Amino acid sequence: PRFVRVVLGSRDGEYWQGAHGATFADWHLSLTHATPPLPPALPLPPAVPPTPPLDPSLASLTCGLLQQVTYMSGLHVDEVGFRRLQGVSGDSVLLGEPGGSAGAPFSLSRDDFLVGVRGVGGCGYVACWLEMRTSLGNTLTIGEMHAWHEDAFWSESGGYFDLTPPAGRGVLGLEWNTESAALGSDKQLKLVLGSCLASPPSVPSPPSPPPST
């Protein structure tokens, strides 16, 4: 748009006083371009919200890579096997030799997975006893020796161990710890771990049937 500024002189007796002191008998207009007004200032953009701090509970997350634990035991743990979820690559883990009696398979899933394995190594077998804990609070105890003493006694024994997976890793099984200095019947165990990125996606729930009429 174009802007016009009108400048008029002031009258002094019979004459008109111009804007700059000049006198003239007839008044006239002085037309000039005026500076257009500045547009209103734009509002400042909103401040970027700070990155929220990491939830400390996320630091302890692991995942489910197994669907089943099988075992054979009596007084001690003779054999223990770990079957992987469908879609998790690799072979199942089997440790020990057949002996004792086969126990009922211990079922696991993506939502109910191993978060800890403790026990006492040695006794000439896979372990004197094992206890496995899951994310939903279920436990599996293998080996009758566990019932011989209270936990306080076992936790002070030389072969006691309590293994937990680090964040971002899931349990795939147990294996002998070849880096351990202990030999023979006192060989120590360690976790076989896999990346949680290998965890298969959840199977969607089937649609609910329509209400009966």
Side-chain angles (χ1 to χ4, degrees), residues 9 29 41 46-47 58 92 98 111 115 117-118 137 143 155 165 175-176 184 195 200 208:
L29 300 176
L58 297 179
S92 298
D111 300 317
V115 295
V117 179
R118 70 185 187 108
S155 62
E175 66 181 0
W176 300 119
S195 170
S208 301

Side-chain angles (χ1 to χ4, degrees), residues 5-79:
R5 184 180 63 184
V6 178
V7 180
L8 297 177
S10 59
R11 186 173 182 179
D12 182 14
E14 296 297 327
Y15 298 94
W16 289 84
Q17 186 70 28
H20 298 283
T23 58
F24 46 86
D26 297 324
W27 63 272
H28 42 129
L29 300 176
S30 175
L31 302 178
T32 62
H33 290 288
T35 303
L38 295 176
L42 297 176
L44 295 176
V48 178
T51 302
L54 180 66
D55 186 347
S57 64
L58 297 179
S60 61
L61 286 183
T62 178
C63 59
L65 302 175
L66 296 172
Q67 64 173 308
Q68 195 176 74
V69 175
T70 60
Y71 63 94
M72 297 187 72
S73 67
L75 193 60
H76 314 97
V77 182
D78 296 274
E79 183 183 82

Side-chain angles (χ1 to χ4, degrees), residues 65-66 68 81-85 87-95 171-175 192-193:
L65 302 175
L66 296 172
Q68 195 176 74
F82 300 85
R83 185 179 179 187
R84 303 184 183 198
L85 281 170
V88 178
S89 61
D91 298 326
S92 298
V93 175
L94 185 65
L95 190 65
V171 177
L172 287 172
L174 290 169
E175 66 181 0
V192 180
L193 299 170

